[in-house]
Structure formats: C-alpha cells, structure tokens
Amino acid sequence: MRTFIGITMFLLIGLLTAVGFGFSWQFNSGPLVNDDEQIGLGRQTVIRFSFSVAENTPKGLAAQKFAQLVKEKTNDTLKVELFPNSTLYNETEEVAALQGGSIQMIAPSFSNISEVVPEWMAMDLPFVFQNDEDVAKAFQGKIGNILMRKLEPKGIVGLGFWANGFKQMTSNRGTLAHLEDFRDLKFRILPSKVIESQFRHLNAKSVPIPFNQVYRSMESGLVDGGENTISNIYSKKMYQVQKYLTISNHAYLGYGVLMNKVFWEKLSADQQKTINEAMQETTIWANQNAIEINRKQWNELQKIGQMNVHILTNEEQDEWQQALEPVYEEARSYISKELMDAVYELRREYEYYEPDRT
C-alpha cells in the first residue's frame, strides 16, 4: 500500500511540475527573449542580384558597393544578395529569369538586353564613342532615356547604366591591324546582330558564346579570338589563351542595371526612393572606378608580358571605321529611327564621318 501511495504522489508532483512550466510564460511579467534571426527574417526584403562576371571586375565591385549602400540606408531591412560568376543563371538565361521573377535584379551587357529589346543594340555600334566622356553623355542623355523607356513594356525597370570599358581585339592567330588580318578567323561574340554584322564586314566568322565559357572556347580552339575589355581579359586570364592583343577601342561594353517590374511595384515608395539613391551613388562611383580598374589592369597585363600588343594607328583606325560604316545602315532595320537619329547626332557632335542616308 505504501509503495502504491508513493508512486501516485510521484506522478502527481511530475504532472504539476509539467503544467507549471507549460503555462508559466503567462504569469511572467519580465521581457520576452526573442530570436534576432527570426525577427530579421520577418521584416527583411531580399533582392537576389545575379550577374555573370567575377566579384573583382567593375560590375562585381559595383554590385558590392550597391548592396552595402542599400544595407546602410535601410538599416538592413532591404538586403541585396549577390550571385556572381553565373552561379544562378548564365548571361543567356538571366534576362528571362528576371522577367519570370526567379531573380529580382541583374546587370547584363547591352547585347544581352537587346535579345528582349532590340534598340539596346545601338550601344554595340562600332566607333560611336571617342572617349569616356562620350559614353557618359549617352548614358545621361537622349540615348539613355530612350533605352530605359523601352524596358517597361517588357516587365523590366531600368535603374542605371554601369560602365566597363572600351573593347579591344584579341587573337591566337596573329596581329589584328588590317582588314585582311581578320579573314576567315572565328570570333566569340555577345548575341547581337550589330556585333555579328561588325565581324562579317571584317570578313570574319562569329559565334555567340556565354561569358563563363569564353576561356574554354579559346583554349580549345573553338574560336580564334574575341573582343573584350582590358578588365575582362585580365580577370578571366584570357592572356593565357590569346597571344595577340590589339588596342582598338572600336566599341564599348557596358551594362544596364535592371529590376523585375512586378517586384519593384510591390516595394514601398520609401524603398524605391532609397534604391534609386543608392543606385545613383553607386553609378557615379562605379563608372569612375571602371576607368581606374582598366587603367591598372592594362599596366598589369603589360607587366605579365604574355601578349603581343599592337596599338591601332590613326590610319588603321580609319580603315576599320570606313569598313564598318555599313553596319549602321543595317542597324536601321531593327533599331528605331528615334534612337538611330540620336546616335547620328552624337557622332556629328564629334565630327565623325556620316554616310549619305538619303
């Protein structure tokens, strides 16, 4: 009998203890202990930002700068998550992924944007810009306004233009100085009718290849050469698989910074304002930084000394430019008159040769 009573008392004490612990929070007048991470998850909006290049490139550094500014300006209530080196999508996939809402932000090349909005090919036209000041005028002026306006019907909001730099020619088959040097060579290009036309008028072949496959395509001999900026040639170590470099400054590589329109419209007015402010600050910093990076990495390439370098003479540049004038006439069939007129206006300002358009 005593054993039974003892067992019963033990069970009753255990039951009362459990009930006490289970409901004690209702009678606790002290502050609750919270999980900081769970609070952050509840109030933080995440922007997934995908791009195809490395973090040490002009675009990669600009993306890091933008993410930091957004974090500071919003007390981390907006978080920009960066996905470099095509870890989510390569450059041929990212525009569609943005439109579908799988990611919220990208910064593709002008050429990749032109797959959706053909007018963006205007920025691929050869010999539009003499220098970085010309590029800035295009970004901030009529050309930039037209390009940004064309995005919205496609479900995209344009936030800004980021610079990389002027394109140079590389080859594994010899110096590229005269038109004859291009004959029958195969070049990697971005997907753009303008760029394809450019190489066709140089008597060369071309094939579009995503940026993350460029090194392998050059190493394997799938292509003989390509066009890219000094920063991309350096960061992707193309100097290891391309023996010849021509400093031609024949065209420009830059990026449109884009956001999914549906996502953008769900943000509050204050959040949109903050993103725009962060983008303006980033763009000023980034575009100046791109110039500096290309300058420094040009010096590094020269120190490495693995490429035979040729700098186009004025006469050689004139030869290229005259050969490429027909690219403009072809472009008028898929770029609006409004935009082509703005391009010709920019060229006239710098006294470029303008063909008879009558």
Side-chain angles (χ1 to χ4, degrees), residues 150 202 276 350:
K150 298 286 185 180
L202 291 171
N276 279 326
Y350 293 97

Side-chain angles (χ1 to χ4, degrees), residues 241-257:
V241 289
Q242 296 277 275
K243 294 180 181 177
Y244 301 92
L245 169 65
T246 297
I247 300 301
S248 53
N249 292 332
H250 63 279
Y252 196 82
L253 177 63
Y255 313 106
V257 190

Side-chain angles (χ1 to χ4, degrees), residues 129-139 163-166 252 287-288 290-291 294:
F129 312 111
Q130 275 192 328
N131 50 43
D132 292 297
E133 288 72 24
D134 290 16
V135 176
K137 286 185 178 181
F139 287 172
N164 185 318
F166 282 89
Y252 196 82
N287 291 354
Q288 184 57 47
I291 296 171
N294 278 282

Side-chain angles (χ1 to χ4, degrees), residues 172-185:
N172 207 27
R173 296 282 295 276
T175 299
L176 300 171
H178 300 283
L179 301 185
E180 196 59 33
D181 299 330
F182 287 86
R183 186 171 296 278
D184 296 329
L185 299 186

Side-chain angles (χ1 to χ4, degrees), residues 127-130 134 321 347-348 350-354:
F127 296 108
V128 174
F129 312 111
Q130 275 192 328
D134 290 16
Q321 188 172 333
R347 296 183 88 209
R348 281 195 300 271
Y350 293 97
E351 300 180 347
Y352 285 114
Y353 167 78
E354 180 182 351

